[in-house]
Amino acid sequence: MFALAIALVLAVLIGCAGPQVRQPVPDALATKPWANEKPSSDYRDADSDSVSTLSLAIQGDAPVPRPAGRPQNVLCVSGGGKYAAFTAGALCGWTAAGTRPDFDVATGVSSGAPTAFMAFLGPKYDDELTRTFLNLNRSDLFRWRPVRGLITGRGLMTSRPLEDLLEKHLDDPVMADLCAAHAQGRRLFVATSNVLSRRVAIWDIGAIACSGRPDAKVIIRKVILAACSIPGLAPPVEFDVTVNGVRYQELHSDAGNLTQVFVRTAGPLAPGSNVWVLSAGKTHPNRAETCPGIFETMVTAVSTTLYALFRADTVKLYALCGTTRSRFGLIALPDDFQGRSSSMVFDPSESQRMYLVGYQMGKNGTWEPYPPDTAPGTVSPPRAGLEFTTGK
């Protein structure tokens, strides 16, 4: 924390510029919807269908369409850095219970991207999921380089260790499993943040794997890397894109500041579907033990906003479930779990404790049927004075 504080102070004093983009996408194009030049014949972006369904239900001006099709199992994994150990445990416990389905759709944000990736490919990757997140140290993913980062404006850390990790694990057998799942009609979506447009980009990982591009594996590695690259700490990842026949460059990073959990499907969400949400961490930040100082106040204000974004996103997902007559379920790290607050302070012993808690919750099927702060009796009424009572 002290090193980060010094680096931020130096950044303010130096006033370093951000990384330069060779040929950025013009504003007139960046804010418009983009369609794939070579779309899959069976693919539709159903988020627009979901939003339309939700808006019709809210307005009450038209009957809500009820799409046909079999119910789907949709897994949504949030970001949370070291807290991915908890979601890994929940998935493995779910497997042990014998009730874990094959996911028709999996979505991931930040550290939830690699978790959703392995969960999407099935229980055969549970051992790798456990090994990956149980004994992680920060140096396995990122290394400090504050001076160079301040000079180049790209990031206070290098993500080279994470690049090496992705290169090692995302190999040909994994690509084959990914293509097989996509051929079955199943979908894996990962979110990144477009640094320049400041908008979310959703990547269809299976479609990329099955595209026949010789660099498909490289693109997927870069997407996962970008999804895990915290803005300001890790360098953004550069992509060459072609829009209307003209080549441009984009920078992408972690999308956790734009969305925490999201739903995409390959068609309208059918009635009777299940939307399973795994929170990589708690739904509310830890209570402060002492009055925080100025720097800690600024840092925790950002962190608190991300928690609030997660809760808001789960309400959106819950509303979607309501309009499509689908089931909502949430597993989150219990509020009484004692551990360090920072998602970037990796401690293998703490990771093991989180993993075991997640394992038991997944095995026992401890799914909450409501988003945080929405169940009856969970929200305090407006204050009418300074004297209060609490429930039993």
Side-chain angles (χ1 to χ4, degrees):
M1 182 63 74
F2 178 74
L4 177 58
I6 294 299
L8 289 175
V9 171
L10 288 174
V12 173
L13 294 176
I14 295 173
C16 57
Q20 299 299 309
V21 181
R22 289 171 284 137
Q23 180 74 5
V25 179
D27 288 344
L29 294 178
T31 56
K32 292 182 178 179
W34 292 3
N36 291 304
E37 190 174 87
K38 299 178 181 179
S40 301
S41 59
D42 62 342
Y43 176 73
R44 292 177 59 206
D45 182 0
D47 189 61
S48 58
D49 297 323
S50 302
V51 172
S52 298
T53 299
L54 186 56
S55 63
L56 287 172
I58 292 172
Q59 295 169 14
D61 294 336
V64 177
R66 299 296 179 192
R70 67 175 181 83
Q72 295 178 302
N73 284 292
V74 181
L75 176 70
C76 307
V77 189
S78 80
K82 69 176 183 183
Y83 293 106
F86 170 75
T87 54
L91 284 162
C92 293
W94 199 356
T95 300
T99 56
R100 174 176 158 183
D102 290 330
F103 300 114
D104 299 288
V105 176
T107 71
V109 179
S110 190
S111 65
T115 305
F117 195 119
M118 286 185 274
F120 176 73
L121 295 180
K124 67 178 285 189
Y125 285 85
D126 279 4
D127 288 344
E128 185 172 347
L129 188 67
T130 300
R131 287 193 301 269
T132 299
F133 292 111
L134 207 52
N135 299 302
L136 270 182
N137 290 293
R138 187 174 60 200
S139 59
D140 297 324
L141 306 173
F142 306 102
R143 288 196 304 269
W144 283 106
R145 57 165 194 186
V147 175
R148 182 179 177 185
L150 289 171
I151 293 173
T152 62
R154 294 190 62 82
L156 300 176
M157 294 179 171
T158 174
S159 54
R160 186 63 206 179
L162 178 55
E163 292 182 57
D164 294 339
L165 201 62
L166 291 172
E167 186 173 357
K168 174 183 177 182
H169 290 283
L170 213 166
D171 53 16
D172 290 337
V174 170
M175 290 289 287
D177 287 344
L178 185 57
C179 287
H182 189 80
Q184 295 169 2
R186 299 166 58 214
R187 295 294 181 265
L188 171 62
F189 299 107
V190 168
T192 63
S193 169
N194 187 319
V195 174
L196 297 183
S197 71
R198 298 175 183 175
R199 301 190 180 199
V200 173
I202 305 298
W203 303 78
D204 186 336
I205 302 300
I208 298 172
C210 299
S211 65
R213 294 179 59 113
D215 60 347
K217 192 189 307 180
V218 174
I219 294 175
I220 293 174
R221 287 172 182 162
K222 290 177 67 175
V223 170
I224 303 300
L225 177 65
C228 298
S229 297
I230 302 173
L233 290 182
V237 179
E238 184 175 303
F239 291 86
D240 290 325
V241 299
T242 301
V243 185
N244 297 335
V246 181
R247 190 171 182 177
Y248 301 102
Q249 283 73 45
E250 291 184 326
L251 298 176
H252 286 256
S253 61
D254 187 327
N257 62 326
L258 299 176
T259 183
Q260 283 286 307
V261 284
F262 69 96
V263 168
R264 286 292 195 279
T265 51
L269 191 63
S273 295
N274 297 297
V275 176
W276 311 101
V277 180
L278 287 181
S279 172
K282 302 179 180 181
T283 59
H284 295 77
N286 290 339
R287 178 184 177 276
E289 297 297 330
T290 60
C291 185
I294 295 175
F295 177 74
E296 186 179 354
T297 298
M298 292 189 296
V299 172
T300 54
V302 174
S303 174
T304 301
T305 301
L306 297 181
Y307 280 97
L309 177 59
F310 171 79
R311 296 193 298 273
D313 280 345
T314 58
V315 170
K316 178 183 176 182
L317 268 58
Y318 184 73
L320 174 61
C321 289
T323 59
T324 58
R325 297 178 183 173
S326 298
R327 176 190 175 191
F328 173 91
L330 166 67
I331 283 184
L333 187 67
D335 287 339
D336 59 1
F337 180 86
Q338 299 298 315
R340 298 182 180 183
S341 297
S342 174
S343 63
M344 287 298 290
V345 178
F346 289 81
D347 179 353
S349 63
E350 185 181 55
S351 296
Q352 291 173 14
R353 289 196 297 118
M354 287 191 292
Y355 178 91
L356 291 175
V357 171
Y359 187 92
Q360 285 302 126
M361 294 182 73
K363 187 175 182 180
N364 296 336
T366 315
W367 294 95
E368 292 291 333
Y370 301 102
D373 299 339
T374 61
T378 59
V379 179
S380 302
R383 295 187 174 193
L386 298 177
E387 295 78 32
F388 311 100
T389 59
T390 61
K392 299 296 184 181

